[in-house]
Amino acid sequence: MGVPSFRFPADRLPDEALLSGLATGDPELAVIFVRRFQRAVFGVAVAVTGDRELAEDIAQQTFERAWRHAQIYDARRGSVTTWLTTIAHNLAIDAVRARRTEPVAPEDLDALLDAVTDTPEQWALADEASSRLRDAVAQLPREQGRALVMAGIYGMTAQQIADRERIPLGTAKTRIRTAMGKLRNTLASPNRGDHGQ
């Protein structure tokens, strides 16, 4: 009779151990790693891009980047989930910006604002700073939030926002400036709900 194996089941390994296994190129650990995090990574990508096919590409790029950079992961800066979803979020924003020559429909921006405030991205990036930022964006009047998203996520200029929203250039600039001021006040305040009008 052989010696009983006391090997810890790979699918129950801590996240950091799986990431270390990914760095060594262990195929079993790589599959378990991807299965464990694919929902969160894909959720962030689809929330930002609104495109399932593009989100699948971004998820794949995220795992490739995690594999290449697993050795530089620093647990002091956040969990493996936060690290991965931040990679996915940044790749998704880059993909959206690369496509910004395509027109942005106003109804898509409303969905994007909802995505920023209440989606898988919310629980995937649930650290204090991102939570406060989402809360602050959610408190903005809709037209200011839209202008902020167009400028910050889509990388649009004030003139492009004015054209897209069919408003004067000065109004677009005011919306962006006012939204940024309110965000600064909210994020600087010790109490989340306290911000200037």
Side-chain angles (χ1 to χ4, degrees), residues 41-106:
V41 167
F42 179 76
V44 169
V46 81
V48 174
T49 65
D51 180 330
R52 293 183 73 81
E53 189 174 321
L54 180 58
E56 288 174 7
D57 291 342
I58 289 166
Q60 182 176 345
Q61 291 173 34
T62 300
F63 288 113
E64 288 171 359
R65 190 166 289 186
W67 172 66
R68 286 196 312 269
H69 300 291
Q71 69 279 2
I72 64 168
Y73 166 73
D74 182 355
R76 294 171 298 185
R77 299 186 66 195
S79 69
V80 173
T81 302
T82 300
W83 182 66
L84 274 175
T85 53
T86 299
I87 293 170
H89 185 262
N90 292 340
L91 288 170
I93 287 176
D94 290 346
V96 168
R97 286 182 176 155
R99 291 181 162 195
R100 73 177 170 214
T101 55
E102 298 174 7
V104 179

Side-chain angles (χ1 to χ4, degrees), residues 18 31 44-45 66 76 91 102 115 121 128 156 170 172 182 185-186:
L18 272 182
V31 168
V44 169
R76 294 171 298 185
L91 288 170
E102 298 174 7
E121 185 178 31
E128 181 66 20
M156 295 172 73
K182 287 181 179 180
N185 289 341
T186 300

Side-chain angles (χ1 to χ4, degrees), residues 18-27 29 67 70:
L18 272 182
L19 182 60
S20 296
L22 182 72
T24 66
D26 183 311
L29 293 179
W67 172 66

